Amino acid sequence: MAAPVIELRGFGRTYPGPPPVSALRPADLVIDGGDYVAVTGPSGSGKSTLLHLLGLLDTPTEGSYLLDGLDTSRLNDRDRSALRGRRIGVVFQAFHLLPYRTALENVLLAELYNQTPRGTRLEAAAGALEAVGLGHRLDALPTTLSGGESQRVAIARALVNEPSLLLCDEPTGNLDSRNAAALMELLDQLNATGYTIVVITHDPSVAAHARRLIGISDGVLSERIEADHE
């Protein structure tokens, strides 16, 4: 069995009031390396809070979050940012590409914490774009890319540092059905090569690609029946 990538122990987030709001109630959860998990729930259920916590964009108010065995609660802001840059790749619904930077340059931005020579970083960025089928679009500006291509650039940016965790926030939300299907096929392929993937989604067709389904409602996490891909 692969070692855990994510271990949540009594992990929760309460926002101060008045009255205080328990956005994520204390929970235990283990996600092993190579797992493929979908987190589903209605609007306001706590999905965004969980996303920000898992992505080290926010901190829990109770419990602990171990990433690759490292207790993130013991890290200062600078070390959390560095860890996020090295070990977590985040794919957002809105792409978040800089419009006046090429696809290659957008991917290179994810390597800010990488101390390797620029030539090596360029090679890695080009390789990441090649891996998502955009090796022919290195010099394209986001304004010339389709929605599907823009999301693939975002995935390449998330993958370039070979993260432990690929965290996807409603990854098909801005795509038409054809591009959404192609994107989910790409995520399936990435998981088959060993990437650990957590997808936050409200779309049952997206969640159906995962091996594990985690529900969230009123800030409470609950494991659902395993998805069957056999």
Side-chain angles (χ1 to χ4, degrees):
M1 180 178 295
V5 170
I6 290 174
E7 294 179 80
L8 307 183
R9 301 172 180 171
F11 180 79
R13 181 67 164 97
T14 298
Y15 293 102
V21 176
S22 295
L24 183 66
R25 299 182 185 274
D28 297 328
L29 179 66
V30 175
I31 297 177
D32 292 326
D35 211 343
Y36 192 168
V37 177
V39 179
T40 64
S43 177
S45 61
K47 296 195 304 296
S48 294
T49 296
L50 181 63
L51 170 79
H52 284 88
L53 290 167
L54 293 181
L56 298 179
L57 299 168
D58 194 5
T59 56
T61 50
E62 55 191 308
S64 61
Y65 170 19
L66 278 67
L67 177 65
D68 288 336
L70 180 64
D71 189 348
T72 62
S73 65
R74 299 178 181 274
L75 303 177
N76 59 34
D77 287 345
R78 179 178 179 180
D79 289 341
R80 286 169 61 86
S81 295
L83 182 66
R84 181 173 62 247
R86 292 193 307 268
R87 299 198 187 186
I88 301 175
V90 184
V91 180
F92 294 101
Q93 175 180 344
F95 316 143
H96 294 312
L97 302 180
L98 297 181
Y100 301 110
R101 297 280 188 172
T102 66
L104 183 64
E105 289 169 336
N106 268 281
V107 174
L108 273 170
L109 290 173
E111 299 184 89
L112 290 177
Y113 289 103
N114 193 328
Q115 301 301 313
T116 56
R118 177 173 171 80
T120 302
R121 289 185 279 119
L122 280 168
E123 184 178 351
L129 285 164
E130 182 71 37
V132 300
L134 288 180
H136 62 298
R137 299 286 271 159
L138 302 184
D139 297 324
L141 293 173
T143 53
T144 69
L145 298 173
S146 68
E149 288 175 327
S150 294
Q151 192 61 295
R152 284 173 180 262
V153 173
I155 290 176
R157 181 182 57 196
L159 294 177
V160 69
N161 290 323
E162 299 183 351
S164 302
L165 172 65
L166 183 60
L167 187 59
C168 304
D169 178 25
E170 300 285 3
T172 63
N174 284 336
L175 303 179
D176 59 31
S177 58
R178 181 177 63 84
N179 279 310
L183 176 66
M184 294 313 301
E185 182 180 353
L186 173 59
L187 290 181
D188 291 346
Q189 292 169 355
L190 291 171
N191 178 248
T193 65
Y195 277 99
T196 305
I197 299 176
V198 175
V199 178
I200 309 293
T201 184
H202 71 280
D203 187 338
S205 67
V206 171
H209 285 256
R211 293 193 181 91
R212 290 175 64 192
L213 303 179
I214 305 292
I216 185 168
S217 180
D218 296 325
V220 178
L221 290 177
S222 59
E223 187 102 13
R224 296 180 177 176
I225 59 171
E226 283 196 1
D228 184 7
H229 292 282
E230 297 300 318

